[in-house]
Amino acid sequence: MKTYLLPRREAYLPLVAGYASHPHNRRTLYNALIIVFSIGLNLFFVVSYYNRPQPPPPLRQNPLDHYQGLNTFPLVNQDTLSKSLSSRTFNPEEHAVVTTLYTDAFAPAVATLGHSLRKANTSARLILLYLPEKVSPSALCVATSSGFVAQPVARIPPPNNGEGAHPHFLDQFTKLTLWKLDQQGIKSLVYLDADTLVRRNFDELFTFPFNFGAVPDVYLDDNGFILGFNAGVLFLRPSTTVFNQMVSQIATADFPHLEAEQSFLNHYFGAEAVRLPYAYNGNLAIKQRAPEMWNRTAHERRIVHFTLAKPFLMGDYERVPWYELEERVVEVAGYEDGAYKEETMWWGEMFKEMKHTYAKQLHKCFRHSSSRFSASSTS
Ligand SMILES: *[C@@H]1O[C@H](CO)[C@@H](O)[C@H](O)[C@H]1NC(C)=O
Ligand SMILES: *[C@@H]1O[C@H](CO)[C@@H](O)[C@H](O)[C@H]1NC(C)=O
């Protein structure tokens, strides 16, 4: 036993009757009380220091929050790409860009997206999956005016009847239908949410050998640049076998229901998803969070994703009447002191150009007086 660890006797001050009456003992007692009091006071300060209201932790400084534009080389190796695209085995008919329409409110966005894809000389087929029970004929007519070919699909309901899911995402499990497109001879596809706009050709994605790829998501709060992906832009190789397996797992898989299919897909492909560059999902949240990165990567950006400002909606995801859309764009451009003005105006310009380019087709959409799409503002 190491005796030096034993407490010295003097350290103990037995407070027994009579002990305190001796003057020498009284002084010792005073000293002891002062020591006890000061230890108590120190303890109090230490405890209250650790229990004080905590300031928010500093944002984790990851390389994206700290972006410096060090790498100035292009994303894609042109030499490899041109070989792949000109190869005899590359058939544009086997590739598709697919979007979805679950409500009339997004019809002008689909038409605008279609025009932006055509302007970028996208070689793939353009396919629009829509819910026939939710989309009016005139809205479908508008959505397909610039080249998307419509296909009705059956709604895939969210688990638990949508309990716990964000009210805007109740139809989003229908997105899994993408995996059934192998039945139409499609070998690879890029899915784009209707609130995206194409700025540059991205045909290189169709030469990607992997089965699934997506761009990591970005939050404005402490979460920041996360590992999980945003489901607004997906690269995938359709497979009915995968589709069947996914659908059979929706009800039993353990995942938070709030973000619906995005959460499910992140759990499904958690370990297999290939991280695509941010250029493929130019989420406006990046502009807000890392303006430097947004600026310095602008020249490579293929797709802008209008997450934080939707130039074609008003209120709570409500439809903007056709003839008020241009006015609406100007309003949204003024949001947050014009934080997304430049991008919103890109959308507005593309919309105007689309209206002009496809005026004849669009005219047919509004021909019938029964067309509620152009006049009323309810969706
Ligand atoms: C698309 O193709 C046309 C005709 O070949 C060409 O004039 C135009 O520059 C191309 N646009 C882009 C963005 O590559
Ligand atoms: C980004 O670029 C724009 C001009 O293109 C400039 O006005 C702005 O200050 C730049 N922002 C940052 C953070 O570099």
Side-chain angles (χ1 to χ4, degrees):
M1 184 181 289
K2 293 172 181 162
T3 50
Y4 58 83
L5 282 180
L6 291 174
R8 295 190 326 166
R9 257 188 125 169
E10 294 87 318
Y12 292 106
L13 297 167
L15 291 173
V16 290
Y19 180 85
S21 59
H22 191 279
H24 171 73
N25 284 355
R26 195 177 295 154
R27 206 171 45 233
T28 313
L29 183 65
Y30 273 138
N31 290 344
L33 283 176
I34 286 168
I35 290 170
V36 168
F37 178 72
S38 100
I39 289 175
L41 205 61
N42 274 304
L43 271 178
F44 171 77
F45 282 121
V46 168
V47 168
S48 46
Y49 176 81
Y50 283 105
N51 285 339
R52 75 197 189 283
Q54 297 288 322
L59 295 177
R60 271 168 296 159
Q61 185 80 296
N62 72 27
L64 295 159
D65 280 317
H66 200 45
Y67 189 82
Q68 295 159 68
L70 302 173
N71 172 14
T72 54
F73 292 99
L75 279 187
V76 171
N77 184 297
Q78 283 303 328
D79 207 31
T80 314
L81 178 64
S82 46
K83 276 187 199 128
S84 308
L85 291 180
S86 62
S87 140
R88 253 179 306 149
T89 55
F90 185 85
N91 176 0
E93 283 300 301
E94 293 176 342
H95 309 285
V97 178
V98 188
T99 191
T100 49
L101 188 60
Y102 307 139
T103 147
D104 282 9
F106 281 74
V110 171
T112 306
L113 173 61
H115 182 53
S116 72
L117 280 158
R118 283 197 154 181
K119 273 195 84 173
N121 291 341
T122 301
S123 68
R125 292 163 63 179
L126 305 185
I127 297 176
L128 169 67
L129 305 180
Y130 74 100
L131 294 175
E133 68 274 27
K134 299 217 174 178
V135 175
S136 72
S138 51
L140 191 63
C141 177
V142 167
T144 52
S145 60
S146 62
F148 273 108
V149 177
Q151 292 189 19
V153 290
R155 179 175 184 267
I156 300 178
N160 270 359
N161 257 327
E163 210 178 291
H166 192 290
H168 293 159
F169 302 155
L170 295 177
D171 293 326
Q172 290 293 337
F173 275 91
T174 310
K175 194 185 278 185
L176 301 188
T177 309
L178 293 169
W179 272 268
K180 288 207 309 193
L181 290 174
D182 60 336
Q183 295 170 16
Q184 297 175 35
I186 291 169
K187 299 240 170 89
S188 80
L189 66 85
V190 173
Y191 166 80
L192 298 178
D193 267 355
D195 60 348
T196 58
L197 188 73
V198 171
R199 300 276 300 160
R200 267 186 70 161
N201 185 290
F202 53 79
D203 280 358
E204 67 274 8
L205 285 182
F206 301 115
T207 69
F208 203 49
F210 294 93
N211 282 322
F212 185 85
V215 178
D217 213 347
V218 185
Y219 290 84
L220 299 182
D221 61 15
D222 267 2
N223 290 308
F225 289 96
I226 66 163
L227 193 57
F229 55 83
N230 179 282
V233 177
L234 306 172
F235 167 84
L236 62 101
R237 293 188 175 271
S239 153
T240 301
T241 312
V242 172
F243 172 81
N244 289 334
Q245 199 211 18
M246 279 179 165
V247 170
S248 74
Q249 289 175 334
I250 294 174
T252 51
D254 182 15
F255 63 100
H257 289 179
L258 184 70
E259 292 189 346
E261 96 296 356
Q262 173 163 300
S263 181
F264 176 75
L265 288 171
N266 266 285
H267 285 72
Y268 190 90
F269 288 109
E272 295 81 26
V274 177
R275 171 185 163 180
L276 294 178
Y278 291 92
Y280 295 95
N281 189 344
N283 185 340
L284 288 188
I286 299 171
K287 186 177 194 192
Q288 177 79 355
R289 188 180 176 93
E292 186 79 18
M293 171 177 156
W294 183 262
N295 261 20
R296 287 175 179 263
T297 55
H299 62 289
E300 286 279 15
R301 192 164 301 126
R302 274 82 163 144
I303 296 156
V304 180
H305 188 183
F306 291 86
T307 49
L308 300 179
K310 302 201 194 305
F312 51 90
L313 293 185
M314 58 185 194
D316 186 24
Y317 271 49
E318 280 163 49
R319 191 170 66 73
V320 178
W322 182 256
Y323 295 107
E324 291 169 26
L325 273 161
E326 283 175 42
E327 235 172 277
R328 181 63 191 154
V329 168
V330 175
E331 272 170 34
V332 174
Y335 267 12
E336 309 205 10
D337 291 328
Y340 312 113
K341 182 173 178 199
E342 193 181 4
E343 297 74 19
T344 303
M345 296 315 283
W346 290 340
W347 192 91
E349 287 306 309
M350 197 64 79
F351 172 72
K352 272 198 260 184
E353 217 181 275
M354 178 275 295
K355 255 175 52 168
H356 179 74
T357 312
Y358 305 101
K360 235 162 85 185
Q361 290 92 317
L362 288 164
H363 182 70
K364 287 185 205 151
C365 306
F366 303 128
R367 204 171 35 185
H368 308 292
S369 54
S370 64
S371 160
R372 285 170 46 242
F373 184 71
S374 59
S376 117
S377 66
T378 51
S379 49

